[in-house]
Amino acid sequence: MTQQDIARMTGVSQTTVSIVLNERDDAAVRIAPETREKVLQAIRRTGYVADPIARRLAAQRNRFLGVFTYEPVFPAGLGDFYHPFLVGIEECAESIGCDLLLFTSAPVIDGRRRIFSQDNRLRLADGCVLLGRWLDPQELARLIAEGQPFVSVGRRDDAGGPVPYVGADYPTATAAQVRKAVELGHRKIAYVGEGSGPESHADRYRGFVAAVAEAGVTGVRLRFTENVLDELRRQECTAVFVEEFADGALLAAEAGRRGLRVPEDLSFVALGDPTRPASTDLDFTGYRIPRREMGWQAVEVLSAILDGTGGETQRLLPCEPVEGATLAVARA
């Protein structure tokens, strides 16, 4: 079914059908109400749907929003770290009357999908939400240079210009947990993780370092290795802040096997939600990342960019503290 078919059925021109379909108010006044209604009835009766590419060419918008993830396999499982982000993206897109286009065919190079290879398929959508722990700065710079509308889920450093994003306020959330540990008497606190690389890691460590310095206590950074527990004991750390929840679960289990009690002998703080499966019965103290809200607001920011309505294009959302049961008063 085409616009020409609708025009023949109703005895009007294709131009008239196009004007009715695109709801052009400036031209609608020249169409008799009964003619307009006749066209609309034919559209409803036939189930006609305008070709999105043709409408894009005419109106510059097809109300398709893209979702691109740098992960090799598109995350969809209920237990997947990315699932709440996708729920928020979907719910907001639905609320503003947009459809989602999931980009899953991008080539995987060095274990990561790439936006730019032989072509840039992101242009099929009006704009795109980017997901992933690490986003390629060179690709971000190219998107900015080419004027392609996009928003990152997660704070990103500038890449040839400011990157639109909705992220979690990791520095503030981490600093609050450090202050809590200090109030409980901990004077030697370890940060176990990379503390660098992806912005989410660097932001956590930045909050940790600032809070430790402000409190006047000792902070130690260690990478997660098979000997990290030995190093923690050697340096007499009483509280461990883990960058990755799953690493904390493994470390706490090993501490238990060595006869250490959690949290009486060694306290733990998890800096966010599990990014990979973690088996533990412990109720970790720490904070949760506002993943669903980040997804929702990423679509809000993208929609504002597309509509040209302005507003903040870089947002940091507060994390939710989790009281848990793995941070206790430090042993004297």
Side-chain angles (χ1 to χ4, degrees):
M1 183 64 63
T2 66
Q3 287 189 21
Q4 288 182 339
D5 295 327
I6 297 294
R8 282 194 293 269
M9 289 173 58
T10 55
V12 301
S13 68
Q14 183 180 342
T15 300
T16 298
V17 174
S18 177
I19 290 172
V20 172
L21 277 169
N22 289 286
E23 299 178 348
R24 289 166 52 188
D25 295 334
D26 58 327
V29 294
R30 296 196 294 271
I31 300 175
E34 57 272 18
T35 301
R36 182 181 185 82
E37 182 58 30
K38 183 166 59 174
V39 171
L40 290 173
Q41 285 182 359
I43 291 170
R44 287 191 289 266
R45 187 169 62 252
T46 61
Y48 170 80
V49 178
D51 175 61
I53 302 300
R55 295 196 71 176
R56 177 186 175 92
L57 293 172
Q60 302 301 310
R61 289 287 300 277
N62 59 22
R63 304 202 67 79
F64 284 168
L65 301 181
V67 181
F68 180 91
T69 172
Y70 276 87
E71 310 305 319
V73 178
F74 200 88
L78 288 173
D80 192 283
F81 175 72
Y82 289 100
H83 183 261
F85 292 116
L86 295 171
V87 171
I89 290 170
E90 179 186 18
E91 289 177 342
C92 188
E94 181 182 3
S95 74
I96 62 175
C98 287
D99 291 303
L100 293 177
L101 183 60
L102 310 182
F103 291 100
T104 59
S105 65
V108 177
I109 302 173
D110 296 330
R112 298 181 185 275
R113 283 201 180 106
R114 299 296 179 184
I115 294 174
F116 297 100
S117 55
Q118 294 181 344
D119 58 2
N120 173 12
R121 296 178 65 82
L122 267 59
R123 292 191 178 280
L124 293 172
D126 295 325
C128 193
V129 175
L130 305 183
L131 274 171
R133 181 178 302 181
W134 178 85
L135 304 187
D136 187 335
Q138 292 184 341
E139 293 200 327
L140 294 179
R142 184 170 171 183
L143 289 173
I144 292 171
E146 294 182 1
Q148 177 130 0
F150 74 95
V151 174
S152 164
V153 175
R155 188 194 72 78
R156 307 296 168 186
D157 295 328
D158 286 359
V163 175
Y165 64 74
V166 176
D169 191 354
Y170 293 118
T172 299
T174 302
Q177 293 298 324
V178 171
R179 288 191 291 269
K180 183 178 178 180
V182 171
E183 289 171 1
L184 291 172
H186 294 277
R187 294 295 177 265
K188 201 157 192 180
I189 306 171
Y191 182 101
V192 175
E194 296 299 320
S196 60
E199 288 87 346
S200 58
H201 289 176
D203 287 354
R204 286 174 170 93
Y205 187 59
R206 179 159 51 88
F208 176 84
V209 170
V212 164
E214 181 183 352
V217 298
T218 301
V220 177
R221 184 175 74 167
L222 300 171
R223 285 182 168 78
F224 184 79
T225 65
E226 60 181 14
N227 300 318
V228 67
L229 185 56
D230 294 326
E231 187 63 20
L232 288 167
R233 301 302 289 165
R234 189 186 70 80
Q235 298 206 34
E236 299 180 339
C237 296
T238 57
V240 183
F241 282 52
V242 288
E243 192 175 79
E244 291 287 347
F245 186 102
D247 291 345
L250 292 172
L251 195 51
E254 178 61 22
R257 284 190 289 271
R258 297 192 188 187
L260 297 174
R261 297 171 301 165
V262 177
E264 292 84 356
D265 298 323
L266 191 60
S267 290
F268 285 87
V269 175
L271 305 179
D273 304 282
T275 60
R276 64 181 193 270
S279 177
T280 181
D281 294 327
L282 291 173
D283 179 16
F284 272 85
T285 300
Y287 55 77
R288 292 192 179 94
I289 304 166
R291 293 176 288 173
R292 188 168 180 169
E293 186 64 19
M294 287 168 66
W296 179 288
Q297 291 201 28
V299 175
E300 279 188 340
V301 172
L302 181 58
S303 179
I305 291 173
L306 292 170
D307 293 339
T309 55
E312 289 183 300
T313 59
Q314 295 183 332
R315 302 180 184 179
L316 286 179
L317 308 185
C319 297
E320 178 190 354
V322 177
E323 186 67 26
T326 57
L327 179 62
V329 176
R331 296 186 67 182

